[in-house]
Amino acid sequence: SGLVITLAYLLGVGIATVVLKSQGSGWRKVGLARPKSWPKTIVLALGALLAVAVFSIGFQLIWTNIPGLAIQPSDQSDYNSLTGNLPLFLVMVVAAWTTVVFGEEMLFRAFLITNLAGTLGNVKARWALALVGSSFMFGLAHFSWGLAGMIETATFGIIFGFVYLRSGRNLWAVIIAHALANTIKFGLIYAGAA
């Protein structure tokens, strides 16, 4: 399943690259250019990571403490084999810092937000609508995690998308935040704490 996801991201990035070139654009223009300030990028990344952590903890408290709530916790059973498995943990961390995070951020943040905003023309709220649309699709892409997982990842998409737009449409802050979030998540699962 992990290999299929990695291949899907590589294929998606390849197709998006062709589309961007046909538009006279490229990855640097939509987010992979060097940031103007690395310290500001790191601060934005840590802020995004904190926002994701606060939301994640709050969301888990809501779905586990409200009686009769119909939403089941996010299904993370795909990661069960990670518990206590150091080689798999290391592979997952490498994937978090390479194909998975770059693939998701390039496709869902840079490519989708830019292209959705472009299709909306002169609509005043086009960037906000593009942010919501790309975040909705990001949530749908995680359908195997169940309703809670889709809501959680869509919200992460809004946080990361907001930071992407706030940084002048530069991906580095969200790439760093996303990779750190995945590394922490995998570390907790590896240690049996999640």
Side-chain angles (χ1 to χ4, degrees):
S1 149
L3 179 61
V4 172
I5 291 169
T6 299
L7 292 174
Y9 283 132
L10 291 174
L11 177 63
V13 167
I15 292 169
T17 301
V18 171
V19 171
L20 287 172
K21 282 189 178 188
S22 74
Q23 297 170 341
S25 187
W27 290 112
R28 286 185 189 273
K29 287 184 181 177
V30 297
L32 283 181
R34 179 185 297 208
K36 292 176 183 171
S37 166
W38 278 107
K40 181 180 176 184
T41 298
I42 299 299
V43 169
L44 279 171
L46 294 175
L49 179 64
L50 180 63
V52 163
V54 167
F55 173 79
S56 185
I57 291 167
F59 193 62
Q60 289 177 22
L61 288 173
I62 290 169
W63 80 49
T64 56
N65 290 310
I66 296 179
L69 187 64
I71 299 177
Q72 294 297 313
S74 179
D75 180 5
Q76 302 287 310
S77 61
D78 288 349
Y79 298 111
N80 287 350
S81 58
L82 184 57
T83 304
N85 186 337
L86 183 60
L88 182 58
F89 169 72
L90 295 174
V91 166
M92 295 294 286
V93 169
V94 169
W97 284 90
T98 56
T99 56
V100 173
V101 167
F102 274 88
E104 288 185 344
E105 294 309 322
M106 289 168 74
L107 292 172
F108 289 100
R109 252 56 74 195
F111 183 77
L112 273 177
I113 289 175
T114 300
N115 280 280
L116 288 172
T119 62
L120 295 170
N122 293 327
V123 174
K124 191 172 186 175
R126 68 187 180 122
W127 289 105
L129 292 170
L131 169 61
V132 171
S134 71
S135 300
F136 177 75
M137 288 187 241
F138 187 54
L140 285 180
H142 293 81
F143 68 92
S144 66
W145 293 1
L147 180 59
M150 289 189 294
I151 292 169
E152 197 168 8
T153 53
T155 304
F156 293 170
I158 288 173
I159 294 167
F160 290 149
F162 175 79
V163 171
Y164 166 69
L165 293 173
R166 185 75 178 102
S167 67
R169 293 176 43 220
N170 190 288
L171 281 175
W172 289 106
V174 292
I175 286 171
I176 293 166
H178 194 159
L180 286 171
N182 283 4
T183 301
I184 292 167
K185 172 183 170 178
F186 297 151
L188 291 171
I189 295 170
Y190 168 74

